[in-house]
Amino acid sequence: MDTKSTPPPRPHQIPNPSRPDFLACWAAASPSKPMLAFHFLRALSRIHGVTTVRRRTRTIRRAAYSSMARAASPRRAWSRALLGQARARRSRTLTGRAVLLRRRRVTAAAPPQPSSPASRSATIIAARGEISTAAARPLPPRQEGEPPRADALRRLVPGGAGMEYCSLLEETADYLRSLRAQVQLMQGLIDLFSCQ
Amino acid sequence: MAHDGFLGGSFHQLAWPLDAALQAQPHAEMGAGVGVGVAGGGWEHEAGERIESALSSLVSPSLAVAGGVHEAALMDELASRLGGVCGGLGGGVAASPPSSRYASCYSTPVSSPGKSALPVSSLVAADTMVAERATRLSGLAVGGPGGRKLSRVESSQSLLGEPAAMAALAGDVLLPASDGASRDAPSRKRKAPGAKTKVKDGTAATAIAKSPEPGTRAKRCKLSPDAARDDEQQNQATGEAGHDGGSAKGKDAASEPPKDYIHVRARRGQATDSHSLAERVRREKISERMKLLQDLVPGCNKVTGKAVMLDEIINYVQSLQRQVEFLSMKLSAVNPRLDFDVDDFLPKDVILIHLSIMNTMKKATTFDTHIKSCAVFSSVRLNFQQASEPSVPAPPPPPPPSCSMERPSPAICYRSSQGTAMQSVVSSPVPSLDGFHISGNSQAGSIWEDDLQSVVLMGLFRCNQHMIG
């Protein structure tokens, strides 16, 4: 999967989503299509050189979500959650030495990542722990006006478990936009390749 | 005030015309409200400009409603003033480019120290001072050429409720006084202006609906000072604390906690404690976001009710995720051909050639060609990556389309130096794609065009960098 650095900043400034008065202008902001295409295509090329055919579907799906998360603004909770899941999955499958090598490559590209062995193991353990706790974390208690179907939405949207209903709706909207862009991209790719 | 946000507590009271304009322009409200808040925060320290902007913000929503040119100019003035303070918030105010003419003439009556007290008066928390200041304001309004502008301002206030406008303005001011001074004022607030708020509601509602002409404004201007004075005294007598009439809502809350810089008016007949206000704010937020989601999810326009909407949203998210899964399955089957094609070509040549083809053909380069170039670009990035570890792919701002015109010329020269064999191989599949339109996705093609073109250009830029450096 992608071991590249954090996504670049989006070209346009997004108004503060905590102010509903600007939801109109905020809603118009769409995910950055060039970055989506860039990340996904890069991942695709890498996948086809590396993975076996059997596991390719799963890998491509994960690459799709990762590229979606990278193309989105890092302020989005769902993008952070997706990238965290990807990182945790990677560290789960790798042994200690492989993780060291991979982390070294990553830190060369992205300084924010921890590179010391202690923090690395801590990261792995934290990642593993995070997965289990994320599943077991209770829903936030402040759900006053929230309909009962909201927890289904929480399961669907990545990172939606710990959010309030209000922000959950925001994240859902952004997630929907990115999902739609990703689907359009993949559909176009398929059409492009299948007609060659 | 219990909670002073960024905008300060006294911001709240001046927002009465905002509520009136709220139905018309929710965006204007924020900008004007922010301006008023700024003024509210600033009046304690210095008068003049901030108060001026506050006053202009007071009138600007109503002016925006009226839709006159002067009003827009005032609003722009407000927006420009707010620009440094609150970034994009001031931009929320719909505005045309500010006209210095109006800025100057608006500032003239207020800049002088004596008159600068006038806008301050609107914020000063003193019952007695309000009357005299308001009268001075109205007197100015009737006054000279600068005053004429002010009169327009004031008359626009009167648009919101003719005699009630000035009274409400004065009444608004009283709120900080009452809140700061005593708590029995709230009780008086609730009881006394019952009838008054009704009157104001009616006038406000009607005022919002109509679009007054300048002619009528002049008349109202003359009427308003007299009526204002009377109303003021009435208001003072009742100890009313403003913020009532401006809005179409009636009662005000005794304790009005400013929530997230959005000041909420308690509606008539609703509970006014802070908990229910917070609840109401939250519910409004949720409903706004549900509206957003309704626009996103196709086919949800007819659906009403939050539960059904939520089900639709969940279904849509699930269907999109299933689509991603399905498409990734198809991609895993289809893709090997791409790899094969790409590996054969020299990537940088392909990009250059493709760009030249794109620009020379001048056709609407479809989605496929862009994708193809992006695929090539991605492999290019990988090849170069092995050579030198690339930095964060922070893209330079996409070069304008005009830049691409220069690039093909060296590209064409380069291509010719490479020989024609590769060129023929490359260009033969590419033109065949140009005619192909994705069925049903032509809209997507148009969406992707410019963005992917910029991606390709970015890739080309990076290729050049690597080639040179």
Side-chain angles (χ1 to χ4, degrees):
Chain A
M1 202 99 58
D2 279 325
T3 54
K4 302 306 174 292
S5 47
T6 55
R10 295 172 68 158
H12 50 271
Q13 182 61 34
I14 309 166
N16 189 356
S18 68
R19 294 176 165 268
D21 298 294
F22 292 91
L23 272 181
C25 12
W26 168 68
S30 55
S32 169
K33 300 240 165 72
M35 295 320 303
L36 195 61
F38 167 68
H39 286 293
F40 188 59
L41 286 168
R42 190 171 59 179
L44 264 190
S45 335
R46 284 183 62 231
I47 286 171
H48 278 279
V50 176
T51 351
T52 63
V53 186
R54 227 169 4 132
R55 285 173 36 198
R56 206 174 280 169
T57 306
R58 217 182 333 154
T59 322
I60 290 183
R61 180 170 51 87
R62 290 186 198 147
Y65 282 118
S66 291
S67 68
M68 221 169 66
R70 284 192 197 279
S73 163
R75 286 201 291 112
R76 291 280 135 207
W78 66 264
S79 112
R80 287 196 301 266
L82 267 181
L83 290 178
Q85 283 175 17
R87 205 175 299 134
R89 199 183 302 123
R90 272 202 307 277
S91 45
R92 228 190 315 145
T93 56
L94 295 174
T95 61
R97 178 155 179 81
V99 171
L100 170 64
L101 292 175
R102 198 171 267 246
R103 285 279 186 231
R104 214 170 264 167
R105 269 182 64 199
V106 174
T107 46
Q113 295 221 1
S115 55
S116 65
S119 55
R120 206 181 350 105
S121 50
T123 315
I124 301 171
I125 294 169
R128 290 206 185 111
E130 177 200 331
I131 300 166
S132 52
T133 50
R137 195 187 316 163
L139 295 178
R142 40 189 195 279
Q143 301 176 8
E144 296 113 17
E146 186 177 317
R149 286 280 271 162
D151 54 352
L153 194 57
R154 282 179 201 274
R155 280 195 294 270
L156 279 179
V157 176
M163 283 195 282
E164 290 183 313
Y165 188 57
C166 217
S167 33
L168 179 68
L169 290 182
E170 262 187 65
E171 297 290 323
T172 309
D174 200 68
Y175 186 59
L176 271 183
R177 271 194 293 265
S178 296
L179 258 186
R180 203 193 296 177
Q182 179 73 36
V183 165
Q184 281 172 359
L185 169 65
M186 293 172 78
Q187 186 70 50
L189 273 174
I190 288 176
D191 292 339
L192 177 69
F193 299 155
S194 61
C195 84
Q196 270 185 357
Chain B
M1 278 310 214
H3 163 67
D4 269 6
F6 155 77
L7 297 173
S10 53
F11 151 77
H12 190 27
Q13 299 79 40
L14 296 171
W16 64 264
L18 300 180
D19 294 326
L22 181 56
Q23 292 93 11
Q25 278 193 345
H27 292 287
E29 181 220 357
M30 207 47 219
V34 166
V36 175
V38 165
W43 70 267
E44 289 134 351
H45 315 296
E46 58 96 15
E49 188 162 332
R50 289 191 181 249
I51 311 305
E52 193 181 336
S53 48
L55 197 53
S56 64
S57 71
L58 267 181
V59 302
S60 55
S62 58
L63 299 183
V65 171
V69 173
H70 327 292
E71 296 80 323
L74 284 171
M75 269 173 61
D76 296 322
E77 190 189 305
L78 165 69
S80 59
R81 288 230 179 87
L82 292 176
V85 181
C86 44
L89 297 180
V93 177
S96 51
S99 59
S100 57
R101 176 167 52 108
Y102 288 106
S104 58
C105 58
Y106 186 55
S107 56
T108 12
V110 198
S111 56
S112 56
K115 293 168 187 166
S116 65
L118 280 174
V120 182
S121 72
S122 60
L123 305 169
V124 165
D127 299 4
T128 54
M129 286 167 66
V130 170
E132 53 170 335
R133 299 279 170 88
T135 53
R136 224 185 298 165
L137 174 63
S138 43
L140 238 197
V142 192
R148 233 189 302 124
K149 295 293 185 279
L150 259 191
S151 75
R152 207 174 291 122
V153 161
E154 194 203 308
S155 60
S156 60
Q157 287 179 5
S158 65
L159 294 179
L160 288 182
E162 304 186 6
M166 281 307 299
L169 172 60
D172 267 338
V173 181
L174 292 177
L175 181 58
S178 49
D179 277 355
S182 60
R183 283 296 158 195
D184 53 345
S187 56
R188 278 190 300 161
K189 281 185 254 174
R190 284 206 208 100
K191 290 174 203 156
K196 224 174 212 336
T197 48
K198 265 187 241 166
V199 169
K200 282 184 195 154
D201 290 349
T203 51
T206 54
I208 294 169
K210 60 191 168 194
S211 57
E213 301 108 33
T216 53
R217 246 185 265 148
K219 292 181 205 153
R220 288 201 205 97
C221 161
K222 288 180 193 123
L223 291 172
S224 55
D226 308 323
R229 255 177 249 124
D230 303 336
D231 276 341
E232 267 164 48
Q233 285 143 18
Q234 264 183 334
N235 285 344
Q236 288 166 34
T238 57
E240 165 185 78
H243 96 114
D244 45 343
S247 60
K249 327 296 179 226
K251 287 196 248 185
D252 60 320
S255 62
E256 295 150 339
K259 294 266 174 248
D260 299 333
Y261 326 128
I262 303 147
H263 287 253
V264 187
R265 307 283 173 186
R267 298 200 177 98
R268 264 188 84 82
Q270 284 192 359
T272 55
D273 59 332
S274 59
H275 288 300
S276 50
L277 269 183
E279 260 299 307
R280 200 151 61 83
V281 169
R282 192 167 167 272
R283 262 183 273 128
E284 281 166 8
K285 264 200 211 175
I286 288 178
S287 63
E288 273 207 61
R289 274 141 210 210
M290 290 291 285
K291 274 196 221 99
L292 263 184
L293 281 169
Q294 211 170 8
D295 295 333
L296 271 181
V297 179
C300 262
N301 304 326
K302 324 163 201 60
V303 172
T304 50
K306 282 175 26 178
V308 190
M309 260 303 301
L310 197 55
D311 284 348
E312 284 293 317
I313 291 167
I314 290 174
N315 288 339
Y316 189 56
V317 172
Q318 274 171 346
S319 75
L320 278 183
Q321 285 178 341
R322 267 185 260 122
Q323 247 183 314
V324 167
E325 176 97 29
F326 174 68
L327 288 175
S328 67
M329 202 169 55
K330 280 183 77 176
L331 264 179
S332 66
V334 171
N335 218 0
R337 297 174 60 189
L338 166 67
D339 263 352
F340 178 79
D341 288 333
V342 166
D343 289 344
D344 277 356
F345 309 142
L346 266 183
K348 50 186 187 293
D349 292 337
V350 174
I351 285 188
L352 296 172
I353 292 163
H354 184 64
L355 267 183
S356 64
I357 290 174
M358 255 167 37
N359 293 312
T360 51
M361 293 193 52
K362 271 305 156 192
K363 220 169 123 167
T365 46
T366 59
F367 187 44
D368 347 300
T369 57
H370 285 286
I371 291 286
K372 172 85 172 163
S373 50
C374 283
V376 169
F377 161 67
S378 68
S379 64
V380 169
R381 292 288 300 125
L382 292 171
N383 291 346
F384 282 57
Q385 185 182 351
Q386 282 133 25
S388 61
E389 182 68 39
S391 54
V392 177
S402 58
C403 281
S404 60
M405 295 310 295
E406 288 110 30
R407 300 217 185 253
S409 38
I412 292 171
C413 307
Y414 186 81
R415 174 182 59 187
S416 60
S417 68
Q418 286 292 318
T420 57
M422 188 177 311
Q423 172 189 353
S424 56
V425 172
V426 171
S427 40
S428 51
V430 172
S432 67
L433 292 174
D434 286 342
F436 174 78
H437 285 274
I438 304 170
S439 58
N441 262 5
S442 50
Q443 178 193 6
S446 57
I447 292 174
W448 280 91
E449 241 176 66
D450 308 327
D451 298 328
L452 291 183
Q453 186 172 13
S454 61
V455 176
V456 173
L457 291 174
M458 269 164 17
L460 181 62
F461 180 68
R462 207 140 294 133
C463 285
N464 282 351
Q465 274 183 335
H466 285 284
M467 273 156 41
I468 294 169

